[in-house]
Structures are given as structure tokens and as C-alpha cells.
Amino acid sequence: YRVNIPYGTWINGMCCTGFTYDEVAERLLAQDDTIVKIEVTDYNGKTHVLMLEKDLYTVSYKEPMMGAVAAFGAVGLFAEKTIFVEPVITIDNAKWEEYAGNLDLFKAEKVQSVSRMMIVETEQGFELKDAFAHTLDKEKALQVLANAIESGLKNISLVNENCYYTPDYDEAD
């Protein structure tokens, strides 16, 4: 049973006894209706819903299926078992960067200016403003989102993932 699935194994509602792991992975993939959707919260608390197109990622059932069957060990060779496996999702990095670069999430964010510090006149007087403060680090955000999608997360906060530049000074400075 290193190549074939043991007796009495049901995976995602399908009887898989005697099939090879590759055969079952193909059958599961044929039935796959995985929709990759993730909700992303930005600095202002606005939630952006990303629905990824199928050509941005690949889906695989083989690795999680093999791990789930192996977890039963020798005892599970002749016992009935019902297993539910989630697919492994892998992002196509080149397509992902192109796709994500056109998202409203990144277009709506502040763009970094050339000069970092500037003096601004306000009603309270002159204030020192940091042009990078709370500006999205696009490269880090892209990587964090790709990792979240591959990990199967459904919600992510870019603030909690430290995807924004924060001033490296305090009021005393």
C-alpha cells in the first residue's frame, strides 16, 4: 500500500480503495471547485475582497492526501476510514505580481514621495510630517498576501502583518 490506497478509505466522499494516489488526486482535481477568496483589511479599516482567477494558482490534493492516509499507520490498513483533505494552493508568482499590481487595494494607497520629511503649516502652527508614515510597503504586502493565500487564510489585516511603514521617531524627536 505504498502506491495504492488501503482498504476502506473514503477521501472527500469518494471511495478510493485500491486506487493509486495519482489517480485519486486527478479525480479530486476533476471535481475541484476551489475558489480562492480572501478579505484584506487596509490601514483605514476598509475591507477589500480578492477573488483570484484560476490561472493565478494551481491546486494539488496529492500531498495532503498522502499525509492523511499515512497518519493512520499500519493499524489503518484494514480499517474503514473517512478522510477530508483540503488542497494545497500554490501561487504563480509572475502572474500574481501582475494581477495584484492592478488591484484597487494598491491603487488607493498613498504613493511614496521623493522627500521623506517635510514641514507643513497647519492651524496649530508648523508640523514636521513624515511622507512615508503609514504608506503601504507594496512588495511586503504582495508577499504577505501570497503566503496567506497559500496557507488557506480567508481574512488578513495588512496592519497586523506590518505592511505599512511606521515612523521611526517619537514626539520628542
Side-chain angles (χ1 to χ4, degrees):
Y1 287 109
R2 290 177 193 253
V3 178
N4 293 39
I5 295 178
Y7 164 80
T9 304
W10 290 76
I11 300 174
N12 291 10
M14 182 173 33
C15 181
C16 300
T17 300
F19 288 102
T20 66
Y21 290 98
D22 287 333
E23 289 171 334
V24 174
E26 286 178 27
R27 289 175 66 190
L28 289 172
L29 199 55
Q31 298 176 4
D32 182 68
D33 60 353
T34 300
I35 297 173
V36 176
K37 175 183 170 185
I38 186 167
E39 293 182 1
V40 183
T41 307
D42 64 16
Y43 183 78
N44 298 316
K46 183 177 178 187
T47 300
H48 305 265
V49 178
L50 305 183
M51 298 280 288
L52 270 59
E53 300 164 3
K54 286 274 190 187
D55 65 333
L56 295 175
Y57 60 92
T58 57
V59 176
S60 173
Y61 284 91
K62 187 173 180 179
E63 297 81 15
M65 177 181 51
M66 291 177 74
V69 171
F72 283 96
V75 176
L77 285 177
F78 303 105
E80 293 271 337
K81 56 203 139 303
T82 301
I83 301 169
F84 180 79
V85 292
E86 289 285 334
V88 172
I89 296 171
T90 308
I91 297 285
D92 180 329
N93 288 328
K95 290 180 182 177
W96 165 246
E97 287 185 21
E98 180 181 334
Y99 170 81
N102 294 321
L103 292 174
D104 289 338
L105 167 69
F106 294 112
K107 289 180 181 177
E109 291 294 332
K110 288 197 294 185
V111 178
Q112 294 176 3
S113 64
V114 176
S115 66
R116 177 169 179 168
M117 303 302 284
M118 61 186 131
I119 298 173
V120 179
E121 185 175 4
T122 65
E123 291 179 10
Q124 292 81 22
F126 289 96
E127 292 183 14
L128 188 61
K129 294 285 184 180
D130 184 349
F132 282 1
H134 312 300
T135 301
L136 183 67
D137 180 345
K138 187 175 177 179
E139 295 303 316
K140 184 173 183 180
L142 285 172
Q143 188 60 48
V144 164
L145 288 173
N147 292 343
I149 291 164
E150 289 178 345
S151 299
L153 296 176
K154 302 297 181 204
N155 299 304
I156 192 158
S157 168
L158 295 177
V159 174
N160 293 346
E161 295 296 324
N162 298 317
C163 293
Y164 288 88
Y165 293 105
T166 54
D168 53 0
Y169 55 86
D170 59 19
E171 291 298 319
D173 292 339

